[in-house]
Amino acid sequence: QALKGFSTMPSLISGRGQKFGQILPGNKADFILLDQDPFDLPPSQLHQVRPLATFIEGKPVYQSGALDLD
């Protein structure tokens, strides 16, 4: 419910429909890949989660040395 509240619902409320807020073929996708699942950590350890890659409109714009996207 929390993820839906930060992803799908804002696009629906703003009138952008289903084209935003979901990772589906044909949709624009801004997202990050993390080195840990934040849902498996206690809140006191969330600051330890590091990004492996950042994508804007489905294209990688950042990649850490720990990840090979090729």
Side-chain angles (χ1 to χ4, degrees), residues 16-63:
R16 293 181 166 190
Q18 299 293 326
K19 198 67 176 166
F20 296 89
Q22 299 179 67
I23 299 176
L24 295 171
N27 283 13
K28 294 181 182 265
D30 297 345
F31 61 96
I32 61 173
L33 298 177
L34 302 173
D35 67 349
Q36 299 179 65
D37 184 344
F39 296 104
D40 289 340
L41 298 173
S44 63
Q45 293 180 2
L46 287 175
H47 69 281
Q48 297 174 4
V49 178
R50 299 287 178 245
L52 295 174
T54 302
F55 293 78
I56 304 295
E57 294 191 10
K59 297 179 180 131
V61 296
Y62 166 77
Q63 177 180 335

